[in-house]
Amino acid sequence: QAADLDARLDEAQNEALSAFGDASVFLEKYIARARHIEVQILADHHGNLLHLWERDCSVQRRHQKVVEVAPASHLSPSIRQELCGAAVALARKAGYRNAGTVEFLVDVDANRWYFIEVNPRIQVEHTVTEMVTGIDLVRSQLLIAAGHRLHEAPLGIPFRELLEKHCG
């Protein structure tokens, strides 16, 4: 309830201060019906960067993902394009290199999305993306770290047009 906000905020700040020595807290928008969508990215040290589409990680138990769906079902083409584009733009702006996962929440009722975080590593659900794209993400990560280009041997990841034919 709105009337409880001040008391709850004080409570959260006291807990943060006690646990971390800092009373800073973040307030987040409440989304009643949200989907957790992740976009896998790969970026080499030569300016090549691409997304490998999205995974829907909405089915969770105790904050652990239980079911991964790729591509995300019933996701509008415009939201899919915006999420993948935002993941690439964010990674490019940050000068990101290697494999990573950009996470978003999609408000089902408002058909809007919100950025959550970037995980700068391979996640356990990377195998879902591997199955959909046919790209070995662990191998790719190692070869990118060794200085290889995404679209040349030994990686040889196809350009976007080829991925769209394969995955889209």
Side-chain angles (χ1 to χ4, degrees):
Q1 303 296 325
D4 299 331
L5 179 62
D6 289 337
R8 296 291 185 216
L9 184 57
D10 286 342
E11 182 182 333
Q13 288 175 316
N14 288 333
E15 185 175 333
L17 183 61
S18 174
F20 306 110
D22 183 348
S24 298
V25 295
F26 295 95
L27 297 178
E28 296 181 340
K29 179 179 179 69
Y30 174 72
I31 302 173
R33 293 191 327 132
R35 293 176 69 182
H36 183 143
I37 306 292
E38 299 180 347
V39 177
Q40 185 74 55
I41 57 169
L42 288 175
D44 65 23
H45 298 275
H46 308 282
N48 300 301
L49 194 150
L50 58 87
H51 68 79
L52 299 177
W53 305 104
E54 81 289 344
R55 301 183 294 254
D56 187 329
C57 312
S58 300
V59 179
Q60 299 186 19
R61 182 169 187 260
R62 295 187 181 137
H63 306 291
Q64 294 298 312
K65 297 163 193 163
V66 177
V67 175
E68 299 277 336
V69 178
S73 61
H74 307 293
L75 187 65
S76 75
S78 62
I79 293 289
R80 176 176 285 116
Q81 184 177 8
E82 288 175 24
L83 294 178
C84 291
V88 168
L90 185 151
R92 189 167 307 286
K93 183 75 172 173
Y96 191 84
R97 301 293 174 261
N98 225 305
T101 305
V102 184
E103 300 191 23
F104 301 93
L105 281 182
V106 175
D107 183 332
V108 173
D109 297 319
N111 203 33
R112 295 185 58 181
W113 56 268
Y114 302 90
F115 169 75
I116 300 175
E117 66 181 351
V118 175
N119 283 301
R121 58 181 165 75
I122 293 288
Q123 295 181 275
V124 295
E125 60 272 16
H126 76 275
T127 55
V128 175
T129 296
E130 288 180 333
M131 290 179 68
V132 171
T133 63
I135 296 169
D136 182 331
L137 293 176
V138 173
R139 178 178 180 271
S140 297
Q141 178 177 264
L142 294 170
L143 290 170
I144 290 168
H148 295 283
R149 295 175 187 266
L150 289 178
H151 306 302
E152 296 176 4
L155 276 160
I157 295 174
F159 286 95
R160 174 69 42 225
E161 297 79 29
L162 295 175
L163 276 174
E164 287 174 358
K165 284 183 184 175
H166 182 68
C167 306

